Amino acid sequence: MKILGIETSCDETSIAVLNDGNVLVNLVSSQLLHHQYGGVVPEYASREHMRMIEGLTIEALERSDCSIDDIDGIAVTRGPGLMGALLVGLSFAKGLSYASNKPLLGVNHVEGHIMANFLDHPDLEYPFLCLLASGGHTQIVYVKDFRKYEILGRSVDDAAGEAFDKAARILNLGYPGGPIIDQMAREGAPTFYHFPRARIKNEASNFSFSGLKTSILYLVRKEGKKWAEIHLNDLCASYQESIVDVLVRNTIDVALRRNARRLVLAGGVVANSRLRSVFKKAAERNDMEIYFPSLEYCTDNAAMIACTGLELLRRNQCSSSDISAIPNLSLVSNN
Ligand code: KG4
Ligand code: ZN
């Protein structure tokens, strides 16, 4: 079965074609114009998606040697995300589905991040414990089966990706902050400064990252910009270490309490090199299996949307043509 995947929930226009779980093509066009604003400007995001989506779809079909007639289903992100951005992808998918008479498959973006693991690990088995860490979400989810989710922990304020992005803004490093901090941290000492590791009282499985962001803001104010520039690599390494430490510790804690032996990581923050290596060691120490997607499937991409769409089609869970975009769609109220 061939699935066309369409992703436009934030600042990446992405189109993919999947053939039975094999990615034939996964095109991602990142909107660089937001960099100058230090974050995503929703109106510009929608306009960029509109400018890119048709050409990218044609290119994806050509590169995968398919025509729309060869496609068995059209999978598209319907939420969560920016309303205007989601609407561009969803309206385009509906039009294509109507014109070509192919089933429409509305996909939850967060579920897509989790399912991305099956692209690299088709033999991955349920159940597993998943840490989802992206720019908008930080959650620990027990995944019993496809679409059977139990949320065991979440951030009570900022998401882990946001914590990276906000620190990068404070340090004048640009947007998105995660990849830049990851890069700079490689040359720095994680023990240079001890940033706080917030633990929510009596709830080891919840996260809080807003205090961390405030702490780097006050530190830079106190020591001065010149000092921060001199110690940039060390600051990045120390700040990153605090986020990695909390993510790994809470996830392992929950896994031990639930007696979960299989860990799965998902979302843009999982592209972080330090997070991947610390998690691997922690899983080994605790005798747990660990899975994470290859780098290209960690951050936003349409292959993960197509992969989720394929599962929906296999289960005959196609969407009606009047589904709406849902900016705050949650994992547990998927339908
Ligand atoms: O999953 P994603 O692409 O989009 C959302 O669904 O939010 O995640 C984007 C987030 C951004 O906050 C970005 O800074 C972060 O993932 N990110 C990283 C890295 N690459 C992307 N954070 C840390 N290290 C990275 N290498
Ligand atoms: Zn995402």
Side-chain angles (χ1 to χ4, degrees), residues 7 9-12 80 109-110 113 133-137 159-165 175-183 186 240 266-273 275 295 298-301 304:
E7 155 63 37
S9 67
C10 191
D11 59 344
E12 256 98 28
H109 176 87
V110 174
H113 274 301
S134 69
H137 295 82
E162 247 178 308
F164 275 107
D165 295 338
Y175 176 87
I180 307 169
I181 292 182
D182 187 350
Q183 195 60 40
R186 285 171 207 211
Q240 172 178 274
V269 175
V270 173
N272 186 272
S273 55
L275 182 75
L295 290 181
C298 284
T299 44
D300 288 349
N301 67 88
M304 69 186 195

Side-chain angles (χ1 to χ4, degrees), residues 26 63 283:
N26 180 46
R63 284 218 218 168

Side-chain angles (χ1 to χ4, degrees), residues 8-263:
T8 65
S9 67
C10 191
D11 59 344
E12 256 98 28
T13 318
S14 180
I15 307 289
V17 180
L18 217 71
N19 183 17
D20 280 342
N22 297 314
V23 182
L24 299 182
V25 64
N26 180 46
L27 303 180
V28 182
S29 165
S30 297
Q31 302 178 352
L32 305 177
L33 86 168
H34 303 290
H35 292 196
Q36 58 191 302
Y37 305 105
V40 178
V41 183
E43 180 60 27
Y44 289 162
S46 316
R47 288 184 201 189
E48 275 299 289
H49 287 311
M50 277 172 65
R51 201 169 66 80
M52 296 304 296
I53 196 163
E54 190 182 352
L56 217 54
T57 305
I58 293 168
E59 189 183 339
L61 288 171
E62 274 173 8
R63 284 218 218 168
S64 55
D65 225 358
C66 291
S67 81
I68 192 71
D69 294 334
D70 303 320
I71 298 293
D72 297 291
I74 299 169
V76 60
T77 304
R78 66 178 301 210
L82 302 169
M83 183 48 127
L86 289 167
L87 277 175
V88 175
L90 186 58
S91 310
F92 183 77
K94 282 182 182 178
L96 209 54
S97 155
Y98 182 73
S100 62
N101 203 19
K102 306 285 176 183
L104 181 71
L105 304 150
V107 172
N108 181 315
H109 176 87
V110 174
E111 184 168 43
H113 274 301
I114 299 173
M115 296 298 290
N117 278 280
F118 289 94
L119 293 169
D120 295 296
H121 314 290
D123 299 331
L124 171 63
E125 284 179 24
Y126 297 104
F128 53 77
L129 188 79
C130 178
L131 168 72
L132 178 104
S134 69
H137 295 82
T138 304
Q139 293 177 337
I140 299 176
V141 188
Y142 187 71
V143 185
K144 270 181 250 154
D145 204 339
F146 179 63
R147 300 213 122 180
K148 299 248 166 20
Y149 305 110
E150 191 185 339
I151 312 279
L152 300 176
R154 54 160 53 93
S155 175
V156 296
D157 40 55
D158 294 348
E162 247 178 308
F164 275 107
D165 295 338
K166 286 180 175 172
R169 207 175 308 162
I170 291 166
L171 297 170
N172 270 327
L173 294 176
Y175 176 87
I180 307 169
I181 292 182
D182 187 350
Q183 195 60 40
M184 308 211 73
R186 285 171 207 211
E187 309 295 321
T191 49
F192 172 73
Y193 185 86
H194 188 83
F195 284 102
R197 273 87 165 140
R199 290 194 81 125
I200 310 298
K201 223 175 171 190
N202 299 329
E203 285 194 64
S205 42
N206 276 351
F207 302 98
S208 166
F209 292 109
S210 72
L212 178 62
K213 166 200 68 190
T214 312
S215 133
I216 194 164
L217 178 69
Y218 285 178
L219 181 68
V220 172
R221 269 195 201 154
K222 183 169 138 249
E223 302 289 348
K225 289 211 161 118
K226 193 91 210 132
W227 175 88
E229 263 169 41
I230 295 168
H231 298 291
L232 207 46
N233 292 339
D234 292 332
L235 279 172
C236 287
S238 304
Y239 187 85
Q240 172 178 274
E241 199 64 11
S242 165
I243 298 177
V244 168
D245 198 17
V246 171
L247 290 176
V248 174
R249 210 167 46 177
N250 276 13
T251 309
I252 297 283
D253 274 3
V254 176
L256 290 172
R257 269 190 276 139
R258 282 296 288 241
N259 205 16
R261 312 251 41 107
R262 198 173 295 127
L263 296 181

Side-chain angles (χ1 to χ4, degrees), residues 304-319:
M304 69 186 195
I305 303 304
C307 174
T308 314
L310 176 65
E311 282 309 305
L312 291 169
L313 188 61
R314 279 180 177 151
R315 289 166 166 78
N316 233 338
Q317 294 181 24
C318 300
S319 305

